[in-house]
Amino acid sequence: MRATVVILTKLPGHLPVKTRLQPLLGEQGAIDFHLQALRETIELAHAFDEEPVVATSPVDADPAAALGALPRARLMPIEGDDGAVCLENALAAVHADRPLVALGADAPDLPKGRIEQGLDLLKWFDAVMAPTRDGGFSCLILREPIPGLAEGFTYGDDGAFASLVKWLDRRGRSVGQLDPWNDIDTPEDYKAYLARRNG
């Protein structure tokens, strides 16, 4: 199924990125991994959207200068004082007539099959999410934009997944859950990612 894919990312040099990986990779290594993960996430998105949107913050910074060469994508600076507001604003800005898939650049090896399953589940649910071990979520799939979404959770909070599920439920929106898939925030996450890549 085709979808409109939105990938949220911070711009290195303007906002801190992958700070918890710096003890393992160093500051430049963490930035390099952030950019590598973004490129891999865009390639994943191409399975569903020929030109995914890369929603960047801060809004007043030039994303092309900060991110360098990327696979085919549409760069869109997004206003917002935190990740949840940026997510809501980005999803509202794309004016999609297809299902919406929201990703971060934190889970570059999220299996394509997870997203395919989530899109299939929209037959029965308004929203579908893949939780992470730390209480967040690595993928959010929506049948359509949901106004006020940022009221439902705090981005990066260890209860973001549960908070958003409760918020959606209170508004009569049904939520489906995919099998968990962790993002890559800590040295342990990074080592597990390398182990998956190396088989």
Side-chain angles (χ1 to χ4, degrees):
M1 180 187 295
R2 305 301 292 171
T4 295
V5 181
V6 175
I7 303 166
L8 266 70
T9 193
K10 298 176 183 177
L11 296 179
H14 299 275
L15 290 173
V17 297
K18 295 295 175 198
T19 54
R20 285 183 283 173
L21 286 180
Q22 290 183 18
L24 177 68
L25 301 179
E27 183 177 357
Q28 187 58 51
I31 291 172
D32 291 344
F33 175 69
H34 174 80
L35 295 173
Q36 172 195 329
L38 175 60
R39 289 191 291 269
E40 291 180 17
T41 303
I42 294 171
E43 294 287 3
L44 168 65
H46 284 159
F48 305 93
D49 188 342
E50 293 178 357
E51 193 176 34
V53 171
V54 177
T56 64
S57 57
V59 69
D60 57 353
D62 177 9
L67 298 175
L70 293 174
R72 187 176 63 256
R74 180 159 54 109
L75 300 179
M76 181 185 293
I78 290 293
E79 278 194 72
D81 54 3
D82 63 40
V85 174
C86 288
L87 175 60
E88 180 178 353
N89 289 344
L91 293 176
V94 295
H95 303 297
D97 56 0
R98 301 183 295 190
L100 293 159
V101 176
L103 303 169
D106 297 333
D109 63 341
L110 176 73
K112 183 175 74 168
R114 288 281 204 292
I115 299 174
E116 291 170 341
Q117 182 186 8
L119 290 168
D120 287 342
L121 287 173
L122 291 181
K123 297 171 189 172
W124 298 282
F125 298 101
D126 298 305
V128 180
M129 290 190 283
T132 57
R133 181 188 63 238
D134 61 6
F137 51 91
S138 55
C139 178
L140 171 65
I141 302 173
L142 301 174
R143 189 181 294 161
E144 60 187 6
I146 298 176
L149 189 71
E151 301 168 8
F153 73 106
T154 300
Y155 203 81
D157 184 78
D158 59 8
F161 175 83
S163 295
L164 188 52
V165 169
K166 289 177 184 175
W167 184 87
L168 290 166
D169 183 63
R170 287 196 301 269
R171 280 148 186 81
R173 304 283 187 148
S174 54
V175 182
Q177 181 172 327
L178 299 169
D179 288 340
W181 191 264
N182 291 325
D183 46 21
I184 303 165
D185 291 325
T186 67
E188 292 73 23
D189 297 332
Y190 181 77
K191 291 171 186 175
Y193 163 76
L194 290 182
R196 292 192 299 269
R197 282 178 64 93
N198 297 329

